[in-house]
Structures are given as structure tokens and as C-alpha cells.
Amino acid sequence: MTAPILLTGFQPFGDHAVNPTALLMERLAGEPGIVTAVLPVEYDACGAAFAALLEEHQPAAALCFGLAAGSEYIKIERLAWNRDESEQADNAGVVRTDDAIEPDGPTAYGSTLPVPTLVRELAIAGLPVTFSDHAGGFVCNHLFYRARHLIETADLDIPMGFVHLPPLPEQVADQPGRSGLTLDQQERALRVLVGLLRQGLGIAA
């Protein structure tokens, strides 16, 4: 049996009553060759949940998604930084303004996905996309770093990366000059990315 591709999103958090990444996981749940999960927006719990998913499913690749509330673009993240540095509390009420994620870990890990290819193909599909070298200092970056650290230290051959998605149109309706990205468009982006991962891994759709 072919190993699945693991996709994760996050629960709602802070002032965001809806997290489009959680809705996308619901849309793709149960599809052949895909495992989806919605992770808690908590520093410690998200990494533990990802580790449990790796152990249970032994995926061929992993792609994690988070909400970038201030962005109008799909952002393919290139680097995960070894730092929690946000004034915002996670869903457990924890605030970390200057903490190493792994005290003995490297300063950063790079995505092991073909970022230029992902950006190019999403652009060809007519979607607003860019790359980013900073996934923020909140739980998204924390998960990205913890996941890459776990894969590296366990010597696992699992391509892994992180993608930030913009808010939905209804989430920015009261913000002049912003349009957001519909859930259908975001789902199309996910399917393009999954298709590219399957192609790179030699997995039939």
C-alpha cells in the first residue's frame, strides 16, 4: 500500500472565528492517498500532534497549512526559524516573545519541497502566490520548525513544507482594498500542490 500524503491545517484562533485551513482539511478528508488533520493552535500540542501523525501514518510527504490573516497571497514558506516570538497568546493562553524552539537545534531549517516549482505552478493556475523567508514567530513557524526538526533528527525521508493561506473574502469584507481568496480557490491551490507532490514522488493520483 502506498504511503499517504499528510496534510494539516489549524483550528480557529484569536479573533479568527473561522480558519480556512481547517475547512480545507474537512473538504479533503477521506480522499484516497491523503490523510488530513486539524491541529491545535498551541505551541506544545501542535508539535506533539504532528509527531503522532507521523508515527501513525508514516506518510510519503507532509504539507502543513496555516492562516496568514494579513496576506493577499498564498505564501510558500522557505525557512522555519528556531524562535517563538509573538505577543499573541496561543489557544492555551501561552505567550512566547523570545524563546528557542529547540535550544540545541540549528538556527533554521529549509523546506524540503521544490519551492520554485510550487510557486510557478500555482501562478500558472492563476492563483496569487509568492514565497516567504519568514513564517512568523507564532504557532505556524513553531510547527514548521518542530516538524522539520523531528524529520531530520529521526533521519526520515519525508519531504515537508509549510504554506500560509490568505483569509476568506468574508473575513476581510470590512477592510478596504482587500479581497481575500475564496475557499474554492484555496482548495484548488491545495489540489495543485498535492498533484505536484504525487508527481515528484511517483505516486499515481
Side-chain angles (χ1 to χ4, degrees):
M1 183 177 179
T2 303
I5 292 173
L6 172 63
L7 306 177
T8 73
F10 275 115
Q11 296 172 347
F13 65 97
D15 296 331
H16 309 293
V18 173
N19 191 326
T21 68
L23 302 179
L24 290 165
M25 295 306 107
E26 294 175 6
R27 284 196 172 195
L28 274 70
E31 293 200 5
I34 293 174
V35 171
T36 66
V38 178
L39 305 184
V41 184
E42 300 177 21
Y43 287 110
D44 294 330
C46 71
F50 185 87
L53 289 165
L54 280 189
E55 182 175 357
E56 178 182 359
H57 299 289
Q58 300 183 21
L63 187 54
C64 300
F65 295 88
L67 170 63
S71 179
E72 289 291 295
Y73 293 89
I74 300 164
K75 297 198 297 183
I76 311 296
E77 300 293 345
R78 296 200 296 192
L79 294 171
W81 295 95
N82 189 10
R83 217 75 194 159
D84 291 332
E85 45 186 7
S86 175
E87 298 290 342
Q88 183 170 359
D90 71 6
N91 283 358
V94 175
V95 176
R96 295 181 178 173
T97 57
D98 188 21
D99 295 86
I101 299 170
E102 293 287 347
D104 298 323
T107 300
Y109 284 110
S111 171
T112 48
L113 300 182
V115 173
T117 300
L118 303 186
V119 171
R120 182 182 69 246
E121 293 302 316
L122 287 175
I124 290 172
L127 294 159
V129 62
T130 187
F131 64 84
S132 166
D133 287 330
H134 200 288
F138 195 44
V139 178
C140 286
N141 178 76
H142 182 94
L143 173 65
F144 189 10
Y145 189 93
R146 286 277 300 276
R148 287 287 295 111
H149 185 73
L150 174 61
I151 290 167
E152 288 291 326
T153 55
D155 197 26
L156 300 174
D157 184 20
I158 300 175
M160 185 270 164
F162 195 96
V163 177
H164 267 118
L165 297 173
L168 301 171
E170 53 267 35
Q171 292 180 288
V172 294
D174 60 347
Q175 300 177 34
R178 300 203 59 194
S179 58
L181 200 64
T182 69
L183 195 62
D184 285 347
Q185 289 174 304
Q186 296 198 25
E187 180 183 348
R188 186 154 58 92
L190 260 69
R191 293 187 181 280
V192 169
L193 295 173
V194 169
L196 290 169
L197 287 179
R198 284 175 167 155
Q199 182 179 357
L201 294 164
I203 299 173

